[in-house]
Amino acid sequence: MHKTIKTVTVETIGRMAGSRRIFIWGAGNQGRGITSVLKEHDIVPSGFIDNSPSLSGRTIDGIRVYLPDDIIQDGDPPPFIIISAFFFEQEISQVCLSKGLKKDVDFIHYSSLKPRDYSIEISGSCNLRCISCPRGGAPDGLDSLRMMSFENFKKVIDKLKQQEPFVRNIQLYQWGEPTLNKHLPDMIRYAGSRGIRCAISSNLNLRVNYRKIIESKPEWLRLSASGWENKYEITHTGGRWPLFLKNLKTVARLRQQVYPEMKIELYYHLYKHSIGKGLLKFETLCKGLDIEFHPVFAYLISLDDVLRYLEGGKLPDTAIDAQNKMLLDLDQGLEMSKKQAHLPCDAFRSILINPDLSVSNCMMFFYPEGNRAAGNFLDESIERIMDKRKSCNLCKRCMVYGLHRYCGVYSTFKPDLNSLAGQVAGENR
């Protein structure tokens, strides 16, 4: 099921808010992008709202960050809130409703402002073969060395700027390692010159010029790890712990020296081997480097493999290996996903543009077979691309099992860090 979203304009926001203070709930990449659009129309938010205590009291783009309880209090009139944390829209909406706020009166959803998100895969390759990722079990010839050219990237940005006024944030990755593209700093700078902020991700296992990258001012850097010292390399397959640790400290230092406003977050994948003392050590390390630390349960990220499994096929050996190391059972997640099959697909709003300019039907599927909505993003209208995606057979197969809710379901599992930190790590526990 794909829901139709009614788009709200900046002018509508001004009328809805009236004389009330405006707050953006979510101080991440999307919240900052929405803020920049509002500022262009002489609407300056009174602050960000964010659940992260580490962000409370900080200033981002000249705007202070508050905890929810600091803002949502009994009073008349209530503030006007724009929920910018898309994947937590429903959760935050429930909080607002519980406080007596009314939807489309006192708060609105990010999706009504910006019905589509964009990811531009600038690198068709990755230097690691993580076993929970589809690249871990992909045939050797599938890993394309194709990189998006700087000229094509500029054309994509120009089209987005012309046709999507609320697109002020893009991510330059999905399945590839963006630092492999030598044009990465130029791409970030060009997008910035057109008013679009870039989020990047990296496994930090390359010897590249991180200073040059950070000087180009990416808005957000997402990192990942899954174990301390030699255990890091078990599931970040092909990675080297000493190089990762060195580069982690380097980017943290360069962020402070060059671009303190850049957001760095590390997603720590929880496996049987990455709990215990290693979990505590990573938390302490990130705190000392002023990096946001997000422990999350690991799961199989390739929906190609999971859908094949649901349809009676066998998981690749690498995926079976990963599943045996995970704390949460695959069938448990799939059972919960099935119960949400009637809910819409969150990934449908995301458009993935590949290095060769083709457009995927779904960014959560890795293999190209049956997963192409357009051969060239520049040659087709965005409306035509979205229409093709609505009739995609891959979507129909996925939704039968509720697989379109799979990634969101895993985000609802909240790890008990005190319990996990106290356990002894081990692959076969």
Side-chain angles (χ1 to χ4, degrees):
M1 180 175 69
H2 302 308
K3 61 182 178 181
T4 300
I5 299 171
K6 183 179 179 181
T7 304
V8 174
T9 65
V10 177
E11 291 73 18
T12 305
I13 292 174
R15 290 195 297 270
M16 294 172 72
S19 60
R20 293 183 290 173
R21 295 183 300 162
I22 297 175
F23 288 89
I24 311 298
W25 194 318
N29 198 36
Q30 302 296 352
R32 301 179 196 197
I34 288 175
T35 299
S36 69
V37 178
L38 295 179
K39 286 183 175 180
E40 286 183 5
H41 290 77
D42 297 321
I43 299 176
V44 181
S46 297
F48 289 105
I49 300 174
D50 202 280
N51 290 320
S52 174
S54 64
L55 293 179
S56 178
R58 292 193 178 189
T59 299
I60 298 174
D61 289 347
I63 298 175
R64 183 169 177 172
V65 182
Y66 299 87
L67 291 172
D69 288 343
D70 295 334
I71 303 302
I72 307 180
Q73 302 174 353
D74 294 335
D76 189 25
F80 184 77
I81 295 172
I82 300 173
I83 300 174
S84 68
F86 174 73
F87 286 105
F88 298 98
E89 268 190 357
Q90 297 306 316
E91 180 180 330
I92 296 173
S93 291
Q94 291 303 313
V95 174
C96 291
L97 292 170
S98 71
K99 298 292 185 179
L101 303 183
K102 299 177 181 178
K103 184 177 181 296
D104 295 330
V105 175
D106 302 316
F107 69 92
I108 58 173
H109 288 168
Y110 161 80
S111 55
S112 63
L113 289 173
K114 184 167 167 276
R116 289 181 288 269
D117 282 322
Y118 289 85
S119 297
I120 304 177
E121 184 79 288
I122 64 170
S123 169
S125 184
C126 185
N127 52 311
L128 299 190
R129 288 295 180 272
C130 302
I131 57 177
S132 64
C133 172
R135 288 192 185 276
D140 292 338
L142 189 64
D143 188 27
S144 170
L145 295 178
R146 182 189 296 271
M147 299 288 160
M148 181 175 285
S149 71
F150 184 37
E151 290 305 313
N152 279 342
F153 179 83
K154 290 192 290 185
K155 292 176 183 178
V156 170
I157 293 297
D158 292 345
K159 179 176 180 177
L160 292 180
K161 184 67 176 180
Q162 180 182 14
Q163 299 187 18
E164 297 275 28
F166 254 103
V167 172
R168 298 303 176 92
N169 315 86
I170 56 173
Q171 67 177 47
L172 303 185
Y173 65 93
Q174 180 58 15
W175 304 108
E177 168 61 39
T179 63
L180 285 169
N181 192 316
K182 64 181 181 180
H183 299 296
L184 175 60
D186 295 327
M187 291 172 166
I188 295 171
R189 273 192 294 270
Y190 183 77
S193 73
R194 303 287 280 139
I196 297 177
R197 303 161 183 247
C198 293
I200 61 174
S201 174
S202 179
N203 55 53
L204 295 185
N205 271 269
L206 291 166
R207 300 184 187 279
V208 299
N209 190 336
Y210 290 105
R211 173 176 287 277
K212 189 174 181 180
I213 293 173
I214 294 175
E215 284 177 343
S216 68
K217 295 190 174 181
E219 188 64 21
W220 172 25
L221 172 61
R222 174 171 289 184
L223 310 171
S224 67
S226 55
W228 185 263
E229 294 183 336
N230 62 315
K231 292 183 178 180
Y232 163 83
E233 301 174 13
I234 294 174
T235 38
H236 271 65
T237 319
R240 292 170 289 169
W241 168 257
L243 181 59
F244 167 81
L245 184 61
K246 176 184 176 181
N247 287 338
L248 181 66
K249 294 178 179 178
T250 296
V251 296
R253 172 176 53 81
L254 289 173
R255 189 265 302 267
Q256 293 299 331
Q257 293 176 355
V258 177
Y259 188 36
E261 294 83 3
M262 183 178 74
K263 176 185 176 75
I264 304 181
E265 59 182 16
L266 187 143
Y267 274 67
Y268 187 77
H269 300 170
L270 296 166
Y271 290 90
K272 295 173 183 177
H273 63 269
S274 63
I275 57 176
K277 292 182 180 179
L279 170 60
L280 288 176
K281 288 180 179 179
F282 241 112
E283 183 178 29
T284 301
L285 174 65
C286 287
K287 184 176 182 180
L289 296 176
D290 196 22
I291 292 174
E292 294 181 34
F293 182 69
H294 299 284
V296 293
F297 286 113
Y299 62 95
L300 297 179
I301 189 60
S302 169
L303 295 198
D304 306 80
D305 295 337
V306 179
L307 180 58
R308 189 181 305 112
Y309 170 76
L310 284 167
E311 293 178 337
K314 182 178 179 294
L315 290 172
D317 290 342
T318 52
I320 294 174
D321 186 18
Q323 175 59 24
N324 289 336
K325 291 175 169 59
M326 291 178 182
L327 292 167
L328 294 181
D329 182 71
L330 173 61
D331 290 326
Q332 181 184 1
L334 292 176
E335 182 181 353
M336 290 188 64
S337 302
K338 180 70 173 180
K339 294 177 180 178
Q340 297 186 13
H342 62 287
L343 296 176
C345 174
D346 290 336
F348 186 70
R349 62 173 285 113
S350 298
I351 297 180
L352 174 61
I353 304 166
N354 297 298
D356 62 355
L357 296 179
S358 65
V359 180
S360 297
N361 277 310
C362 180
M363 68 187 303
M364 299 311 299
F365 284 82
F366 174 69
Y367 293 95
E369 291 78 16
N371 192 23
R372 287 293 180 263
N376 190 318
F377 175 73
L378 301 175
D379 293 341
E380 298 232 30
S381 70
I382 294 172
E383 290 72 22
R384 175 63 175 156
I385 290 172
M386 295 303 290
D387 284 342
K388 287 183 178 180
R389 294 178 68 204
K390 289 177 182 177
S391 59
C392 171
N393 184 57
L394 187 61
C395 283
K396 296 174 183 176
R397 291 167 56 202
C398 173
M399 289 185 173
V400 166
Y401 300 98
L403 191 55
H404 61 292
R405 305 296 302 176
Y406 170 78
C407 298
V409 159
Y410 273 91
S411 70
T412 65
F413 291 110
K414 304 299 181 184
D416 184 341
L417 295 187
N418 289 331
S419 174
L420 292 175
Q423 295 181 31
V424 178
E427 287 186 58
N428 299 315
R429 287 189 66 259

